[in-house]
Amino acid sequence: MNKKLGALALLGASAIVLAGCSGGGTPASTDGATAGFDPAAAKDQNITLWLMGGDTPDALRDYLKTEYKAATGGTLTIEEQSWGDALTKLTAQLPDSKNTPDVTEIGNTWSPTFTTAGAFADLSGIYKDLGGSDLLDSFVKVGEVDGKQYALPYYFGSRYITYRKDIWDKAGLSVPKTLDEFNADVAKLKTPEQSGFYIGGQDWRNGISWVFANGGDLAKKDGDKWVSTLSDEKTVEGLEQFQTLFKDASNAPVTENDSTPWVNINNDKSGAAPTAATIIAPGWAHWSIGDFKEEKKKDDGTTTEVREWNDATFGVFPLPGNDGKPAPVFAGGSNIAISAKSTKQAGAKELLRIMFSGEYQDMLGKNGLGPANTKHVDSLGDDIFAKALIDSALNSKLTPAAPGWAAVEGQKILEEFFGKVAAGGDIASLAKEYDTKINAIING
Amino acid sequence: MATATTTPSRRSQAPRDDGTRKRSFVPYALLLPAVIILLFGMGYPVIWQFYISFHKYGALQQLGGKPPEFVWFDNFVAVATNPEFWAVAIRSVLFCVITAAVTVAVGILLALLMKKVSAAARLVLQISLLLAWAMPVVAAMTVWIWLFDRRRGVVNYLLDKIPGVDMNQYNWIGGAPIVFFAVASIIVVWMSVPFVAFSVYAGLTQVSDEVIEATELDGAGGGQRLRYIYLPMLRPVIAIVLLLNLIWDLRVFAQITMLQDAGPQSTEYDLLGTYIYKLGVGGLNFGQGAAMSIFVLALTIALSWFYVRSLLKEDEA
């Protein structure tokens, strides 16, 4: 712990020192930031891009490196950060012009915290060239401050339901048309060995759909202040539904997150029955769902199970709402931004130009990542996964664009709250308690 | 007995006397690198930690959006009036006292065992202890988490085999907090016992055979020998390993974090280390995080004060 605290203090220290230094010399970088592209200045600039987790496939990374080299002559270094420490690393390194990544991917829900603090460069000068109003609006909004864009969409994802056709058929159930039907159906499928619907108690990122579907929300903007709305009538209604659903349909522990639900819906490799009839998971999970084919050894010596999707056994559908439309799910995905402290603004902008090119947008779509430019959504294809992804994404929602939202997530307040709701706690008093907790930090 | 404990300290004092008599410069020069490293490695961060703890220091300040604002003792007051923090602090102290006590007790028993068994058995025992001690925390934790896994863990599998015991799917890590901390305690004990066992065993080998022979002639049994001969002679060793374990167990972080990653994220499963990280770093409230860690520093000093003093006394005697 001492080491950690030492590092924390050190990073705080360096930030202050740097802030002190930059007081005199900022104008140069702000000039560059509001202007458009500057290919001449970008020549031979070597830049660093941070990508979060393994969501961007290798083929796309190679494409970026090659294209960047061709465009500027400089080298693009891609460093992968794990989602788990990304928030900490970003806060530590963005303020430090010597160590900052020039361009970074960032969780869409964290954008407001960073943009309001001035961590990113102003992109309004190149916003139109990168796609302008064709870019996914909700993601653009979350990266805007006073009408200027500081973070733009990178890709979007969505969550939808995957179910066991065989189990549903045997119970005489068909794909539900409304959320109420869904809740009732999955409750019927629960046995001591099998969850009708496998959802962890702490899994607020999926559980929130029941709140959204009932017209509730996590927070709202009241004047220029954000207010937590867990106690609102409609939010409470959604939470009650979630509590009942968890009790009646799920065998998952209260302390489980949205980690790897697909292991529950697969037969295990020896053929033993699955422990869940239904799950909700991000779009790319379908690569891990299906019949067991073989065990493959990876380069690092670990083995992974190869699964092959089987249309006879498995199916997908967007979580239905009660109004005929899909229920609003939490929109997954990332934004992309240029560090305000980067000394290579011109090179960084050239990289964005490559990332927002039609070719790259299509590559995103072909790999199952929702492209930032809505004109290229077709590239996702028209198979059942693409359809479920697009249908559920159309009605998706983001978390509140409040300056303190990253802190709310960082402190795991919602995991704790949903866990307590799932455990059967009194919703009204819990909602009040956690409203107070969230209100204390949501405005930064 | 008294002579046995005082002889080594007198011997260690001897060269120091020689040094001062010659008014040599060398000892100070030799001390210098250590002091410099300590000052730079620890002094600088600690000073900044104090600085941050007196400022409003969050994401905005860290990212350069606003200068840090001096707020006197606001952070400390906020921490002190937070009942959640006190619950975590009390839990941490209990965890560290119980875990350290169990570690030392098991360590002494293993050391006595090492003294009793044949050379071959001792070698096997020592190698196993060394392996446990040398195991990187992350690797060890991964295995422990598998052992206690709810669905496929060996622990549940074996317990379930016992007739009349139903431990199928028992949730060790994500169940009640008390069970979570029991598991954490077992893991921490496993990781720190080798150090205690080796230190105590080294101490045991210093007990002269003549003394033991004499007790045998006087007809003392094993229990009496342990109580009246071994334990008093080992007291300085036991005191120091207990102190070290108390400090280690108070600032335990990696084990708890990794267990939490395997499931529970709620504050009921936090100890001071993870709570400070959650609030200070995760929650981007660096000011309060720094204030809390200063409290932990004070707590560590308070806990160890008694021991350090008695150790110093022992040195003087």
Side-chain angles (χ1 to χ4, degrees), chain A residues 29-151:
Chain A
S29 67
T30 27
D31 275 1
T34 42
F37 292 108
D38 187 358
K43 202 156 169 31
D44 293 332
Q45 277 190 345
N46 299 328
I47 63 167
T48 308
L49 163 69
W50 277 13
L51 292 178
M52 304 298 153
D55 299 357
T56 307
D58 285 339
L60 274 72
R61 295 176 193 222
D62 292 341
Y63 174 85
L64 289 177
K65 285 182 197 165
T66 326
E67 290 297 309
Y68 184 77
K69 185 102 198 164
T72 64
T75 308
L76 168 68
T77 312
I78 296 181
E79 290 174 2
E80 183 173 315
Q81 308 295 333
S82 77
W83 278 111
D85 353 296
L87 195 58
T88 325
K89 280 194 118 173
L90 284 167
T91 36
Q93 283 176 246
L94 281 176
D96 176 359
S97 63
K98 288 204 176 63
N99 289 307
T100 179
D102 300 288
V103 181
T104 185
E105 177 184 346
I106 178 171
N108 51 15
T109 58
W110 305 340
S111 300
T113 300
F114 288 92
T115 50
T116 47
F120 296 137
D122 184 357
L123 302 175
S124 51
I126 56 172
Y127 168 63
K128 284 222 166 63
D129 298 308
L130 296 179
S133 54
D134 285 337
L135 300 182
L136 193 65
D137 191 52
S138 55
F139 281 50
V140 174
K141 283 268 153 47
V142 84
E144 258 179 13
V145 181
D146 299 331
K148 286 181 176 169
Q149 295 78 26
Y150 292 87

Side-chain angles (χ1 to χ4, degrees), chain A residues 327-350:
Chain A
V329 290
F330 176 61
S334 294
N335 277 22
I336 192 117
I338 297 176
S339 168
K341 285 279 164 21
S342 162
T343 52
K344 295 155 191 154
Q345 300 283 335
K349 281 178 183 165
E350 289 307 316

